[in-house]
Amino acid sequence: MLNAQNVAQLDDVHAPKGIQRIRRLPDSQLGAMWDSIILDSAIKSQLVSQAVLNFTLRGKISRNVIPLHGVILLVGPPGTGKTSLARGLANRVADMFPRGGFKLLEVDPHSLTSSAMGKTQRAVSELFSQSISEAASAGPTIVLLDEVETLAADRSKLSLEANPVDIHRATDAVLVQLDQLAEQHPNLLFIATSNFPEAVDAAFTSRCDLVVEVPLPERTACAQILTDCLNGLAQTFPAIGQLARSNDIGALAAECVGLDGRAIRKMVATALSTSPETAADPSRLTMANLLLAARASKANRLKGARK
Ligand SMILES: Nc1ncnc2c1ncn2[C@@H]1O[C@H](COP(=O)(O)OP(=O)(O)OP(=O)(O)O)[C@@H](O)[C@H]1O
Ligand SMILES: [Mg+2]
């Protein structure tokens, strides 16, 4: 269990049930993660502003004036950087409040819903009303609710035959707990993510202070992701730096439009494994390898979409 005393030694604390990881913020690794996600700067700025406002406003302004719940939701296709952005955002907020003593709790939704039948609701209630509430009592807390559709499933779409009543009740419990925590803990912020916004309960979405769609990268963003990836490789294999600076990056980026950021970075790995020789000596990577790998990734993606 997490209490005010042992939060002081977070690194030694065994995370309570339902919490996968607890970190002190700021954390430079998360700073690098935020920078590595290429996204319209207006969207990034909106996320930071909303998250910072949460901590400046909620403790001072009545919920009767502005009913903030302290929840930000990121939605978008798989591999678009939502989880990375959520972690990076937590870090950016902590950066804005030096000596704030922020921490980040990462919830593992599957460990709650895989509890024995009939226990999900209780596990969810305990997580929010005990572990999260105690952490927030000890200091500013940001909670990552990844794949939130698992915890706040749309009750109107769940068939009672296929989905046990337990899951319906878990959604009820999440909503009740969010309301209570919003009242009790102004220094708490949830950052939730979902690939399936249509599967998230409307009452959950309605409690979100900001819902942001994280899109697939357009052409310029694809070029930036490719350049970032190739420059990263060039730190170890300097010859690859020439590819990052090549005029053909634009054409390669055009081939990547339609892929998500994860797929683009993986495509570069595919290009590196074009032959045993390139794999053994990545400095041999060529633009032709990259173009072929990009076309193959796109073709696979389209084939997957038609299935
Ligand atoms: N816009 C982007 N710019 C740069 N890199 C990106 C971008 N989107 C994704 N990536 C890369 O893809 C990897 C996966 O990102 P992440 O796990 O955050 O995506 P996600 O949206 O949470 O995916 P999922 O929905 O499958 O959970 C990241 O490590 C990052 O390197
Ligand atoms: Mg994710």
Side-chain angles (χ1 to χ4, degrees):
M1 193 163 289
L2 201 64
N3 59 37
Q5 196 185 1
N6 62 19
V7 156
Q9 306 125 19
L10 270 182
D11 298 336
D12 305 323
V13 177
H14 182 67
K17 182 173 162 46
I19 295 181
Q20 197 170 313
R21 184 164 187 185
I22 304 171
R23 313 181 205 232
R24 287 174 197 280
L25 298 174
D27 175 322
S28 59
Q29 273 188 340
L30 299 189
M33 198 178 268
W34 173 259
D35 293 338
S36 76
I37 300 298
I38 312 295
L39 185 67
D40 184 347
S41 60
I43 301 183
K44 277 192 167 181
S45 160
Q46 187 187 22
L47 283 170
V48 175
S49 309
Q50 180 69 42
V52 168
L53 187 74
N54 181 73
F55 291 98
T56 43
L57 204 69
R58 282 184 51 225
K60 300 187 182 112
I61 301 292
S62 158
R63 295 194 68 233
N64 297 329
V65 179
I66 301 188
L68 289 177
H69 268 86
V71 187
I72 293 176
L73 173 62
L74 304 176
V75 297
T80 46
K82 300 177 297 298
T83 304
S84 311
L85 279 170
R87 291 189 177 123
L89 177 60
N91 185 65
R92 289 286 288 124
V93 175
D95 269 342
M96 301 277 286
F97 297 94
R99 294 187 296 282
F102 278 74
K103 61 195 166 297
L104 172 64
L105 272 55
E106 298 194 8
V107 169
D108 174 11
H110 300 288
S111 75
L112 298 167
T113 51
S114 62
S115 301
M117 255 296 288
K119 294 210 175 132
T120 307
Q121 180 192 12
R122 195 161 143 215
V124 168
S125 293
E126 281 179 7
L127 169 72
F128 282 74
S129 67
Q130 294 177 15
S131 307
I132 294 178
S133 175
E134 283 164 15
S137 299
T141 302
I142 300 178
V143 179
L144 170 60
L145 287 180
D146 224 0
E147 302 174 25
V148 74
E149 70 280 355
T150 324
L151 285 183
D154 185 345
R155 292 161 297 178
S156 68
K157 290 190 185 143
L158 289 176
S159 103
L160 280 178
E161 287 127 52
N163 297 281
V165 175
D166 201 32
I167 299 180
H168 286 241
R169 292 199 183 134
T171 302
D172 295 339
V174 168
L175 299 173
V176 168
Q177 294 297 333
L178 278 182
D179 287 341
Q180 280 181 9
L181 289 171
E183 288 289 345
Q184 292 162 2
H185 296 291
N187 61 353
L188 177 61
L189 173 68
F190 288 93
I191 308 177
T193 78
S194 181
N195 289 332
F196 304 104
E198 64 289 351
V200 179
D201 198 89
F204 177 86
T205 316
S206 150
R207 280 163 174 75
C208 294
D209 305 327
L210 175 69
V211 179
V212 164
E213 274 193 44
V214 184
L216 288 175
E218 34 67 58
R219 187 178 161 154
T220 328
C222 289
Q224 277 177 271
I225 297 171
L226 288 163
T227 309
D228 185 71
C229 184
L230 294 170
N231 279 331
L233 285 166
Q235 287 181 11
T236 308
F237 305 103
I240 294 182
Q242 286 169 8
L243 296 175
R245 293 186 294 275
S246 156
N247 289 335
D248 293 334
I249 280 287
L252 181 59
E255 293 290 349
C256 291
V257 173
L259 296 176
D260 57 75
R262 180 191 285 140
I264 294 174
R265 291 186 190 269
K266 278 187 187 288
M267 176 283 287
V268 176
T270 307
L272 285 166
S273 60
T274 299
S275 68
E277 290 73 25
T278 320
D281 178 10
S283 305
R284 299 168 77 134
L285 181 70
T286 64
M287 190 52 79
N289 296 151
L290 287 163
L291 284 164
L292 274 176
R295 283 179 202 133
S297 293
K298 269 280 275 298
N300 279 337
R301 180 59 54 101
L302 294 173
K303 211 159 57 185
R306 276 198 297 271
K307 270 187 193 157

